[in-house]
Structures are given as structure tokens and as C-alpha cells.
Amino acid sequence: MTELLVDLLLIVLILAGAGFALVAAIGIWRLPDSLMRMHASSKAGTLGGSLLLLAVAIWVGELDVVARALAGVGFLLFTTPIASHLIARATYLLGVPRWEGQVRDDLEGRYDLSARVCRAPARTVESATPSPAKAD
Amino acid sequence: MIGGWLAAFVLIAPMVSAGATTLAHATPRLQARLSLVGAFVLLAVSVALLVVVLRDGMVVLQSGNWAAPFGITFAVDNLGAVMTVIAAITGAACLTFGLGETGEAERRAWFHPLSHVLLVGVCGAFLTGDLFNLYVWFEVMLIASFGLMTVGGTKAQIDGAVKYVALNLVATLIFLLAIALIYGLTGTLNFADIARSVPAVSNVGLLTAAATLLMAAFGMKAAVFPLFFWLPAAYHTPLVSVSAVFAGLLTKVGVYALIRAFTLLFTHDPEWTHTLLLWVAGLTMVTGVLGAAAQSEMRRILSWHIISQIGYMVMGLALATPLGLIGSVFYLVHHIIVKANLFLIAGVAARLTGSMELKRIGGLYRSAPWLGVLFFIPAFSLAGFPPLSGFWAKLVLVRAALEIGSWWIAAAALVTGLLTIYSMTKIWAEAFWKPHPAGEAAARPLAEAPAAMLAPIAALAAGTVVIGLFAQPFYVVAEGAAQQLLDPASYIAAVLGGAR
Amino acid sequence: MSGVVTFTIWIAWVMISAAFAIGLARLVKGPHLPDRIVALDMLALTCIAAACLMVLSSGVAAYLDFALVMALVSFLSTVAFARYVEWVALRRARQAKPPPLEQADD
Amino acid sequence: MLTVVLAPFVSALVAPWLVRRLGRWASYSLALVPGAIFVWAVLRLDSFAAGASQVIPWVPGLDVALAFRLDGLSGLFVLLISGIGTLVVLYAGGYLAGHAMLGRFFVFLMLFMGAMLGLVLADDVIALFVFWELTSLASYLLVGFQSEKPEARRAALQALLITGTGGLALLAGLILAALAGGSWRLSDLIVAGEAIRGHGLYLPAMVLIMLGSFTKSAQWPFHSWLPGAMQAPTPVSAYLHSATMVKAGVYLLARLDPAFGGTAAWTTTLLVIGGITMLAGLMLALLETDLKLILAWTTVSALGALVFLIGPATEEGARAAVAFLLTHALYKGALFMAAGNVDHEAGTRDLRNLSGLIRAMPITFAATAVSSASMAGIPLSLGWVSKAITKAAAIEAGGFLPLSVITFATLLLVAIAGMVAIEPFLGQKSEAAHEAHEAPPSMLTGPVALASLSLLFGLFPDLVSDAVLAPAASAVAGSPLAVEAKVIKPFDWTLGLTFVAFAAGAALYVLWQRRAERWRDRLDPVLSRGPDAGYDRALAGLARLASWQTRLWQPGLLHRYTAATFSVIVLVTAAALFRGDLRLAFPVDRVRLIEVVVLALTGAAAIVAALATTRLLAVTALGMVGIGVALIFMLFGAPDLAITQFMVETLVVVLLALVLVRLPGFRLSAAADRPRALHAAIAGATGLLVIVLLLGVLAEPFDPRLSEWFARASVPEAFGHNIVNVILVDFRAIDTLGEIIVVFAAALAGLAAIAARAARKDAR
Amino acid sequence: MNRTVGLFAINLLLMLAWCAAFGSFSLWAMGTGFVAGFGALWLTRTLWVGGEPAYFRKTVRFLAFTLFYAKALLQSSIQIARQVLSPRLLAHPGVIAVPLAAERDVEIAALANLITLTPGTLALDVSEDRSTLYVHAMFLDDPEAALADIKGNFEARLLGFLR
Amino acid sequence: MELPLVLLIGLLTAVATWLMLSRNLIRLLLGFAVLGNAVNLSIFVAGRLTRDAPPLVPLDAETIAGAFANPLPQALVLTAIVIGFGLLAFALVLAWVAYERLGTVRTDEMRVAEPPEEKT
Amino acid sequence: MSSLILRAGTRLLAPMMLLFSVFLLWRGHNLPGGGFIGGLVATSAIALQGIAFGPASMRRTLVFAPATIAGAGVLIATFAALPAALAGLPFFTGLWLKLDLGDGAVLPLSTPLLFDIGVYFTVIGGVCALIAALEEEPALEDQDMGG
Ligand code: NA
Ligand code: NA
């Protein structure tokens, strides 16, 4: 019974993990601009990896393996966002064009390349009128 | 046991020197002293090792107490021990010279640690009895030479270094590929064990191909025709003390490896391997010496001569007779001393006259006659003039060739000798005899060169004369080495005798 | 392990393989530096997934260590690339007439 | 004998010191050395016939010994070398008095003397060669003594190269001779003549030895260096070109005559070459106006004559050769020194500017006159005596042709003697003659002594015929010979022929006085294409060949180097594969999906890396290749490797990102990477070769001894469960030690390179 | 905070004691040991001088937060999957500037990480004066709502657990 | 199962050779990296392949039961990887220094040590 | 790079990676890991720090000059081969000291471990030396862009 449950759990985890990895891949293929692709990669990819690590933890069940698998999940959750942030920053710094369907961009023009910093908006968001949506 | 530890200390000494000079990087005087002491300690240890080898026969060190072929064996025969001593001599000479040549900038560019690392690699290559371990020492040597190549930092150096590095990287990987094949065929890496396993390999063509690949790898290191491109592109560019070590030692490690490989490991198809080697030897000699004839800069001339003389060493190996191998060994020993010295002398000459370019210098005959004497000895030794060391080497090789009727290689050797005279006299006539084009005062007296630069030159020249005049003991050692080389069974027994 | 799990793992392999292929395609296609970096980042994540699948399909826990090291270290290459891009961007920015974006990584 | 040979060497070492301490007296003290040797030899005259030897082992391993043997031939040479040597040292002391490099001069001269003594005394093939080469070396330094003059440097090099060429041939020839004769002792070889002549190596050995001898003894067409060598100071010319060095070749031929002589090849070659040299030398002498050059050409001729005489390998030939040898040494030494006196005192050696010196330099004239007479073979001189023996030899050798050659030579010699002895001294005083004085005593001793000997032996040939010439002739012939040297001979038709020749020579001299100039001009274009020009052309050709082949191999383009390297390695390795039956294995059982995917992925990434036109694509693709390889390692049970590979890949990216940003892009250069087809072919062939090699390896059974042992020993003996790590830190720890040294040194090397960037000093 | 760490250490000690008592350091033993230790500490919470320690509250919030976080990650991935797998692009992407209440580096970074891993949003950068976090949102139909979601759902929860 | 891997090695070798023949120093070094991978894989495959059995002795055992991957090539390759890394690291630095000193990464434009008009 | 997020992340990740590297080093003899892998992971940590905070911070972390660390690593590894001499055994023979911590726990100290530690430091020192030097040397046209 336990075994069946474990197997079931495993099957779900494996399929979901691999599935999300695939989704991440399809995402970076299909989505139209770098920033959107990063959504796919960071979220689905991280989840895919994490789920498979959990599957390993459950399947092996030994303390040190579980500990390492959980550590792996922790590492992933910790590092992926940093990576995404840096790529996003790179996108802006380079001026890579965004998808024309973008509705708003508060960051545009906020990078001061000579000082190598990202400025805060001139007005706070609360008081800002959202720029009119360009798409739809 | 004592021999084994001596062999180990041949490796440990330069390693510790490298480490210690690194740690002492912030204290220049201490660093220089450590470096020099290290070089002479290595010399002492290697001489002791040679004495033990000559007295007791081959020294076999099973490192880690793991019996061959499972651990790494250091197997030191006459050849290995002699080469180690010569390496230590060259190292000591060039480091001493370096004290006079290098300034703070070079010292800060890690001249001392890199030099000792180079010696680690060279000595390791001479001692090891393991193919992969040989690769490792080759790499140690190579990476140190990369660094030393750039110490000083002229444009020509950087350019030379690029070519040197690129082509040596190719050689490195070819070597590794050959190791892969040999390991795949024999299942082992220990020289003795490979030698024992080779006859059992049924796929002869493949074995020969692997051996050929190995030959190519070692041949590149040794700068044989037609794989020598890196040498003339680079050897004239670095510091003089560096190029002297390179000139003396590095290619000779390649020759040493060729000798090891084609006396011990691959004697299964001499009709291919040794015939190929013979052709390579002849073409190497001739192309090298012609290359030298086309040059007008001292170190370029000398660099091309390295190539040409590599041909002689390979020739003895290719003849594969006792006399031939004696000739190779003798030539190796003689050439390292002589060629390193010639580079050093070129350095002093350039310092006194302002250039390495023959057209722009002269007048040393009058201003520095003793430098003339010091140049004459290695230069004419290089050309094989009697009774200097090179004569015996050439004599033995020519005789070996004539004895077995290899006429054309003997002819090539002799013609090469003649053209060597041509180049050496070119340097002599231009740098020494000819008045300095900028006037008599442009050639400085010898006293203006630091003693640290002159002492090693004098010592090496003395060595050349001694080998020439009292050749017999050196011949005996070479003969012993050749006998061992031609008796792989003893090597195998010495290494694998205690196999578990 | 039951046959169903084994089959599941096989399916997972197929999916991971597809992910690899697509990731490589994006890597090649670019078109801009960040796209390539994203693709490489994604491929590294897929490798972690593959390593986990290796553990599951072979039973060798040692492969987990590979996944673990990758999870911890792979973002470093992204960081390095991002810094590279930053440098390129800064240099482009200071040019009077910046070259077309396509040549930024040239 | 070792002492005799070593003494000059030792004195060479102390010569500069002596010159510095004793000044002009140095030459006297140095002259003691050859003088003592001369006395030593004279005291041993009795033992010449029997021969005496001494063997000191040198390199026993090679059977090389310092074996010396004093017999008639070597004895004669020792006498000449030491005797003339003594005079020359004294002469040089005067000639070069006050010269800044007198010390160095004596070093070279004594070195030369020692080498020459060693050469003639050596009984060991290799020892002989050693001294032979040393004479070349010493003469190189002597000829180039006035090194600031380009002509001197050229002449020195020419002498060295030509004699060096011969020397190398000689080495081979001597080795072959030793192999053929079964011994490294000359005395053994001479006895083994029959065996040698019958041996297959005879002909090559003979040709090579002759080549050595001809170059050294300035035989046609290798003679051109000798006139050039007149760049040397006169004492050197006197010494090298009269008595000694140039005779080394003759000596060797004479020495080996018993072993090699008697065959048609030997005789014909020597006769032809010797004859051509003899006559050509004389005719060229006629065309010169420089006193020293005239003498040099007559030396060439005399050497030809000697070779000519040795050729037939007859008893008369041997007698004639040694007699002429002595004669020539005496008169030529004197003439050179006398010419030196003229040059030294009158400031020129050009005959056109010299005339009427007799008043100023009577003693020099006397010596010149006597010696010239000996050269021409005028009665009452030693030349007359030897001429008689020579004619006998010519007749014995085959009658008409040799005899007419000799006679023609006599004719020319008479004319030359006139040029040498009459032109400078008689007639109206030239401008140069007004300034001239007689030379100092040190410079007169030599010519006078030698001229006196020419006269003395001419009058009393018995003084030398038994004691010196007979043993020497015996040595040349290989059997005991007597030498009958008579001043007065019964008149026969050959004598008549001689006198006719004398008369014709005198006539030629008179006629030539007027016509010489025109002939010189007319012949100049012809002569300028002679061997001397040939030497220049050969050197130029060598230079062209050298620079052509150097440009071919070493164009300075790295991509050519890499292309050549890969091509050669692939071709040679592929050729080696055909040394046996090639068996390949194609193991493909049970491939897993993921394996295929990873392999395909890695391959695809590699192709992308190769075709990438932007470097970030190349680098990321490369990163993908690295990750793919890591996965492959993992798929086949190598987690340590996979992790290492991945870590290294990551750090490479870190480094690449740091470096690439400072470098220019790909796009500028990618298109220029031609020739693409050739490169693609090389790349494809390399890949294919590796595939074949590996498949071949996989077809062989694998010997798993090592890995099995590692698995067995890892835990119980090395206390580690990770076998790979145990291998790294224990079983093969030395590998790892070397490896970390690589990492360490790579860092230092990188730092050194970065320092080079900062250096920015462009000395070269 | 210090007390929190101290209590956590004590909890770990209790866990080890538990494992030692059972002679097993297996996963189950450790898990049950930690829970049992936590329970024991909670039961004795009144014994601590200076009021009830924050440890228990924080632990509970942490657990809750973890669950929330996992749910969010799952949600976001599913959302992405839907977007990716649907034939038509549904997204209205955009970047909004979020004024930050968080002040310390760690807080800001943690918030950025959280935002990145949760539905539809991706932290891009923080302004140099730390006043603003720029966030890329996939479905920016209503920027104000998105903003409120970030401020209320994530920042508040996170700061609650961290402070 | 070795065949596909060998084919990959061949492909990598070809690609690497192609890159190393380039006149662009950066490509050449990338080629070196790829060739290094190919050669490392060659060593690996020459020691024969075994799936899913790392040479790790179970912590409670003295030796490995059953088939296991050949550990020796792994140790060799590990060494080779690190050495190759060291070489590559240096070479990259050198490429940069060469660019700064010589103004190019094109090897056919690096003509200081061997100038083009070289005649005696 | 002056990214707040990267810097904050690095503050946590770098020590974590360093710790992990020691863990890999320690267990390398029995499980995947060892001096190389450990050293490489540690290097990554320091390299990360170098990118995030600049080379000066990297050097502060290393305390000693990287080349010195590498040299010391080589010396440590070399000296690990020497104690065998005292025991009358050949070069590089491993010596083991199994400290009994009581309760069946054994702390195995050995020359191979010492050797691995030497490897660890050499890798860290060597690679970090290059990275730090490159970080510190701005490209010609970017003199003000370093760090
Ligand atoms: Na080399
Ligand atoms: Na060399």
C-alpha cells in the first residue's frame, strides 16, 4: 500500500518535473521576447528541477540523499532568481527590443549607463497614471 | 631505497624551490637566494642519483609503495640519470645567468618559480616510467615554458608565444590521444608493462598507428621535420636565460621521449617506425641547417640549429644499433650544454654590442677577446669540430651509419656539419671579426657584463672542453645507457620484478 | 520499482530530451545575447533534471551530487555572461554611433 | 711524441702572456719550442727507417687512441714543420713587431704547429682527423687575422669551408677505410693494403679520402681558397702554404699510398687532377702581378705536382715526391718570407710597382735568387736534383705524356722564377724602391737559412738523400727504398729536353714582360668564371636555397603551421594503419534514448560552435558541448568526472567572459578564413582517422587487470571507497601532484603574461 | 532574533537527543525528533523570561510561508504552462515600479527572489536608492492590482517572517 | 553502445580541427577546448564503457560486486580536464595580452617575431 | 557588478558554496568529490564574490595572495609525500592515523587527505589568481570600467 502510494507520488513528481522542464523549454522557444522567456525558464525550469529532486529524495529515502536533494531544491530556488534578474538587467542595458505587445514599461530609460546604476522612477507608482495599453 | 628517495628528491627539490620562491615573492633578495640554492640542491641531488645509478644499476621507485603496474613507477637508468644531471646543470647555469640578466620587472613576472616548475617538468619526464605520468610532466614543462616565454613582454615575445602555445597545445592533445589508444590496446600505462603487452596485441597496424601518433606528439616536442614550426617562431624571442633553457632542454625532452618510446615500448615494427625516424632525422638535419643559413640574427641562427641537431639525435635512435644509440645519448648530453651556452653567449654579445642582429653588431674580437674564446668552444663543438664534445657525438653517429651502410644519412649528417660551420663562422665573422658598424666604441669590453652572466658561460664551456678531451668516461656512460636501452627485458624485469 | 514507474521515467526522458533539443535551438537562434543566456540557463536546469532522472533510472545516488553541484554553481556562468553583456552595453553606450544590436555580441 | 705534439699547444696557451711580459723577445722564447722539436727530430734521424711508435689510449670505447708513429715520411714532415716553424716564429717576431694582436697571432701559429705535428705523427685514423681539422681551424683564424678587412674574412671562410668540406668527406673516407681494413691504426691499414683494395668499400673510401686531400692541398677544382688565403700575414703564408698545411693532403695521399695505391682508379685520378692542377697553377701564376699571389699559384702547382707524382704508386714516384716535397718546402718558404720582406719594406707587392730593389735589399735578393733557381730546377740547386728524380719517375710512370707535362712545367717555372727574382730586384729603381731598406735580421734569418739549405743540399744531396729522403720514400712506397740523388748526371736526351725547357722558359719570360698585361685583360672574363666565382655562386645558391626553403616551411603564418601539422600527422598515422590487417568493431547494442539525445545534442552544439559567426554563440555552444560531455560522463558511471567537467566548464565561462569582452569580435575575420575547402578536408580527415583508430581499439580485447586490482585494493589497502579519488590521491598521486603544479604554473604564467601586457617596452 | 537562533539550536539539540535515545539517525528519527523537540519547547514557552519567544510564531509563519510559496510556484508554473502551451499568446506583459517597504539588502533580495518565482512576475532590478523594485509582469491587465498583490501578499508576508 | 560515442568523438575532432585551423586566435582556442573534450572522451571510451556503475565501493563493503565503470580512465580524464583547463586559462590570457600588444587576434596579422619580408 | 540583488545573494551563497566545497573535499575519498572538485567549487564561490563585489573583496576573502595560496598548496601536497621517508617507506606511501573518537566514530587523518588539501588550495589559489588579475586589469578602452 505504502509502496503503491510512493510509486504514485513518484510518477506524479517525475511527470510533473519533466513536464515543467519541457514547458520551460517550449516557453523559451515560443514566447516572443527575452523577458517573457525568462518567466518560463525561471519558473517552470526551477519547478521542474525541484520536483525531480524531490522525486529522488522520496525514492531513495536515505537521510543523506534527502538532505542533499532538499539542499539542491534550496540552491535552485535561491540561485535562479538571481540569474533571471541579471539577464533582465542585461536585456535592458543592451536595449534589446521588447515584444510590441508590452503594455507598460516603468524601467525604460531608468538605466543610467554612465553611472552604471538604475534610477528610481521620477514619480512614485502610486501617483503615476498608468500609460495607456498599447495592445488589445 | 636510497636511490628511490634520491629520485624522489630530484622532483621534490625544484618543487619546493618553486613553492618557496612563490612564497618569497615579496622579498626579492630572499627569492633570488632560494632560487639559486634550489638550483644547486637539485644539481647535487641529481649527481648523487647518477652516482647511485652508475654504481648500483637502475633505480626503481614504486611510488606510494604500490607495485608496478598499478602505481606510478619511477625507473631511472643511465639515460634518465644523465639527462637529469644535465637538466640540473642547465637549470643552475641559466638561473645564475638570469640573476645577471633579469631585473625587477622580470622577477615580478614570476621568473624564478616558473623556472623551477620547468625543471620539475623536465626532471619528472626523465624519471618517470609511466606514459600518462610522462604526459603530466610534459604539461608541467609546457605551462611553465608558456609563462617563461612571456616574461619580459616584448611584442615579438607575445607573437612568438602565440605560435608556440598554439602548436604545443596541438601536440599535447595528440600525445593524449596516443595515450588513449595505447591504453585501449594494452590496458596499461606503465612503460615496462606496455612493453610486455605490446607483443600480445594482434592488430599490428593499429599498434603501429598508435606508435606513429606518439611519434608525432614527441616529434612536435622535439621539433623534428616537418613539425618544428613553433620553434623558429618563438625561440629567439624570450629572455636569454629562458631561451637558453628552452634551447638546451625542452626539445631534448621530446628526443628523450622518442628514445624511450622506440627502444622500450614500440620495437614491434621497426621497418616502419625506425625507417620513418630515419627519414625524419635526415630531413630535420638538412631543413634545420638550411634554415639557419638563411638567418642573420644570432638566436634565430641558433634556434634553427636546434632543429638540425635534433636530427642527429633522432638519427642515432633510428639506426637502432648500439653505436647509434650511444651517439644519440652522447649528442643529447653534449648538445644541451653547448646549445644552452651559445644562447647565453649570444645574450652577452647582444648586451655588449646592443643587438642580436648580426648586421648591426661587431667588434667583439677586439673588445672582448675572451668572449671570443668562450664562443669558439661551443660554436665549433656544435659544428662537430675536434676535439670538442660535438666531434665525438658526430663521429659516433657517422660511424654508426656507415657501419650499417646507411650512406645517405651519413652524408646528410656530414653536410649538416659543414653548414653548421658556415653558420657558426657567420656569427664569428659578423659579431666578432667585423668592426662594429657604429664605431669601435660601440662594442663594450667583457668586463661590462655581470659576473653572474659570465660564470655559467665559462663553466659550460669548460664542460664542453672536458667532454671533448676526456670523452672516454662520458662514452662509457653513454654506452651503458645504450646497452640498457637495447635490453628492454632487463628494464621490464627491474620494474615488474616485484609485481604482485 | 514498478513497471509503471519505469515507463514514467522513460516518458520523462523523452520530455527531457525534447527540452534539450528545444533549448539548443533557442541557443542557436538567439537572436540576442540575453536570449542565448536564457537558453543556456534553461539547459543547465534541464541537466539537473536529467541527473535526477539518472538517479531514478539507475539507482545510483552519486549522480545526485552532480545535480547538487549544478544547482549551486550553474548560475555562475549566467552571472559571468550577464557581466559580459553589461560591459558590452557600457561600451556601446559610450560610442558616438553604436553599431546595430545584432553585432553587440560579435 | 705526445710531448712533441703537446708542446706547441701549451706554448700557444702561454703565448699572449709571453708577449705581454717579454715583448719583442717573446718570439725568441717561443721559437725555442719548434727549435727543440727540430733538434729532437734530427737526433732521431736514425730511427726514421725503422719507425717508432707510441700509443696513449684516448677513447678506448671507440678504439680511438693518441697513437703516434715516427717514420721516414712523418719524420720528414716533422723536420719541415719544426724547422721552418722555428724560422717563421722568428720572422713573425720581426714582421709583426709591435702589432697589437701579436699574442693572439702566436696563439694561432703555435696551435697550428701543434696540429700539424699531430697530423703527421698520428697513427690513429681518428687522431689524424682531429689534428687535420685543427689545422683547418688554426688556418681559419690565421687567414682571418686581419679581420677588419672583409677580404680577409671572406678568404678565411672560403678556406675553412672548402677544407671543411673535404674534412667531412675525409672523415667518412677514413671511417670506411678503417672498416674495410679492420683497424683504426694507420700502420695496420698500410699493411692491409690488399684487403682494402679488394673490399667493397675501397672505392667510396678512396674517393672520399681523395676529396679530403684535394681540398686541403688545393687541387683543381678546389684550389681557389689558397690564393685567397694570401690575406694572411706573410709569416703565415710562408708557413701554411709552403711547408705545411697545404701539404697535409699530399701527406695523407702519400701516407695511404701503400694501402690505396696501385689501382687504376687511384693512379688515373691523381695523375689527371695533379697534372691539371700543376699546369693550371703555373699558368695562373703568370697572369698575376702580386708577388704573393704568384707564389701562391706556384704553390698550387707544386701541390699538383706532388699529387701527380704520388699517383703512379711507383718507387720512382715515391722518391720524386719526397724529394720535391723537401725542395719545395725550402724554396717556397724562403720565397714567401722574401716576398714578405719586400712587402714590408717597399710597401707593396705589386710587380708593376717594384723594380731595382737589389741595392736596398741585397740579402733578400740573394735568398730570392737562390730559391727561385731551386724552383726552376737550375743546376746546383736542390731543385735540379729533385728534377732529375722527377723525370725518372715520369718516365717510369708511362713515358711521353707525363714527361711532357713535367717539361712544360719546367718551362713555365723558369719564366715565373724570372718574374719573382728578376723583376722586383733588377732594373731601374721604382718609386717604392727608393724608400726601401733591407729587412731586420729577424726577417732575414728565415729566407737566408732556407735558401742556403736549397743551395747546400743542391750541392751535396747525400746530406739528405739517405738520412731523410730514403726513409720517407720507403714510407710512401710501403717498402724499403734507397734514394740516389746526384748533382751530375750523364747527359741523355731528357737532360737535353730540360735545357730546351730552360731556354724556352727564359724566352717566355722575356716575351711575357711585354704581353702579360694584354693577356691578363683578355683572360680576366674567363678566369672570373673559374672555381673562385663558382665558390661565390655556390654560396649565393646556398643562401637562395636556404631562404627559399625557410620561407616555405616557416612563412610566419600560424594557420599554415597548424594545417601542416594536422595534415602530416593524419597522413602518417593513416599510413601506419596499413601495416597490418585493420579490424574495426561497431558496438551499438542497446542504446538508450537519453544517450542518443545527449550525443546528438553535443554534436549539434559542436557544429554550432564551429559555424558560429558571433562569439557569444560560439562560447555558449561550447558551454553546451561541455555540459554534454559532462552528461556523457555521468551516463557511463563517472560522477566525479561529470562534476569536474561541469565545474571547469563554468570557470572557463567566467574566464571567457572576462577575456572576450576585451577582444574584438569574430565577424571581421570569419570570412577571411580561407582556404575553406582544404581546411574542411583536413578537419574531416582528422575526425575520420580518430573514428577509425578508436573503432580499431574497441575491436581488441581489453585487459582489465588494472581496474580490477584498483577495485580490490581500494578499500582494504588505501582506505577509500571512491576508487577514482583513491587513484588520484594515492595510487597515482604523482599524476595529481604534477597536475596541481600545472594549475599553479598556469596561474603564474597567466600573471607573467599580464605583466607582459604592462611591460610595453618594445626593445625588439 | 538572537533568541530565535538560540531556540532553534536548542530544538536541534533536542532532536539529536531524541535520535540518540532511539539509536537511529534516520530521516524519520530526525523529523520526528525535531517535531517532538518543537512541541516540548512550545509546551515550556511560558518559562522564558521576557515574554513568549518569537521563535514559535516565526516557525509557524515560516512553515505557512513555505507552503504558500510552494503553492505560488506551482501556480505560476501552471500559468506559464498554460500560456506556453496555448496556441495564442494571452499575455499583456509590462514592467511596473514597486515602491519598497523592505529596507535591508537581505529583505529586498529575498523579496525579489520570491517575486521571480511566483505567478506572472519577475524581479528585474532595484533602483540605486533602494526605493523601488522593478517587476516584469506577464499578465499586466491591471497594474494596480498586480502592485497590490506584490505589496500585500509577498512583501508583507516576507517581512512578517523576517522581522 | 560505444559506436555512437566514437562517432561523436570523430565529429568533435573534426569540428575542433576546423576551428584550430582558423586564423582567429579565439576560434583556435575554442577549437582547443573542443579537441580537449574529444580526446578526453577518447581516453574514456578506450577504457571501455560501463553504464550506471560508478567505481564507488559501497560504504559497507570491501569491494564492488558486479560490473563497474573502469576507474582508471576516469582518473586520467580528470587529470587531463584540469590540465586542459590550466592551459586554456593561460591561453585565453595570452590571447588578450596579444590583442593589446599586437592590436589583433588574427594570427596572420601577428608578424613581429617572423616579419613577412624576411630575406638574407 | 553593482547589483543589489546579486550582492545580497552572494552574501549568502558564497559562504554556502565554501562550506559545500569543504564538504566535498572531506568526503571525496569515499564519495564523489575530493580536492579538485572541492577546490573548484570554492573557487566558484570566490569568483562569484569577485564579480559581485570586485577583486579587492575577493583578495580580502583569500587573506593571502592567491599565488601564495597556490604555492602553499603545492608545498602541502609535496610534503604529504614525505612522511613516508620517516617510516622507511617509498615516496608517496600513504600513512593513516585513525583517531578513535570513541563510540565507534573514527576520524581518519592521512597523508592522502593532506595531499587532497594541498590540491584544494592549489586549485583555489591558482584559478583565483588569474580571475583576480583579470578583474583588476581593465581593458584599454575601459580604464574606468573595472570592478
Ligand atoms: Na616544447
Ligand atoms: Na630546444
Side-chain angles (χ1 to χ4, degrees), chain B residues 231 235 245-252 306:
Chain B
L231 195 152
Y235 266 26
V245 180
F246 284 15
L249 280 183
L250 292 198
T251 45
K252 260 53 80 185
I306 297 172

Side-chain angles (χ1 to χ4, degrees), chain A residues 3 7-8 10-12 14-19 21-22 24-26 28-31 33-35 37-38 41-42 45-46 48-49 52-53 55-56 59-60 62 64-69 71-73 75-76 79-80 82-84 86-87 89-91 93-97 112-114 116, chain C residues 1-2 4-5 8-9 11-16 18-20 22-23 25-26 29-35 37-39 41-42 45-46 48-53 55-62 64-65 67-69 71-73 75 78-79 81-82 85-86 88-90 92-93 101 104:
Chain A
E3 202 170 298
D7 274 6
L8 206 63
L10 269 181
I11 288 168
V12 170
I14 292 168
L15 280 181
L22 182 59
I26 299 172
I28 67 160
W29 182 251
R30 277 204 64 200
L31 293 174
D33 73 14
S34 310
L35 290 177
R37 287 177 199 134
M38 269 159 42
S41 158
S42 56
T46 306
L52 280 165
L53 280 165
V56 169
W59 186 68
V60 178
E62 288 162 21
D64 62 321
V65 173
V66 173
R68 277 183 278 158
V73 173
F75 292 161
L76 271 185
T79 57
T80 317
I82 296 177
S84 303
L86 290 172
I87 302 170
R89 193 176 141 97
T91 313
L93 287 172
L94 262 189
V96 172
D112 180 348
L113 277 169
S114 56
R116 309 177 62 195
Chain C
M1 196 188 299
S2 72
V4 186
V5 178
T8 313
I9 291 173
I11 299 281
W13 273 131
V14 175
M15 295 200 274
I16 291 289
F20 270 129
I22 299 170
R26 175 49 79 191
K29 193 166 178 220
H32 301 296
L33 279 83
D35 301 305
I37 303 173
V38 170
D41 197 43
M42 197 285 293
L45 288 172
T46 315
I48 296 171
C52 293
L53 277 183
V55 180
L56 294 170
S57 62
S58 69
V60 179
L64 182 62
D65 294 313
L68 193 58
V69 174
L72 188 57
V73 177
F75 88 110
T78 310
V79 174
F81 276 129
V85 174
E86 184 179 318
V88 171
L90 289 174
R92 262 168 56 83
L101 189 58

Side-chain angles (χ1 to χ4, degrees), chain D residues 454-486:
Chain D
S454 287
L455 198 60
L456 182 68
F457 295 151
L459 294 172
F460 309 104
D462 293 342
L463 283 177
V464 286
S465 61
D466 290 342
V468 178
L469 295 182
S474 312
V476 175
S479 53
L481 285 186
V483 175
E484 229 178 302
K486 291 202 178 83

Side-chain angles (χ1 to χ4, degrees), chain G residues 63-85:
Chain G
V63 182
F64 298 101
T68 307
I69 295 175
V74 170
L75 285 178
I76 293 171
T78 311
F79 287 130
L82 301 186

Side-chain angles (χ1 to χ4, degrees), chain B residues 141-142 164 168 221 230 235 250-251:
Chain B
M141 196 168 82
L142 192 65
Y164 178 82
N168 273 292
K221 297 277 177 192
W230 56 269
Y235 266 26
L250 292 198
T251 45

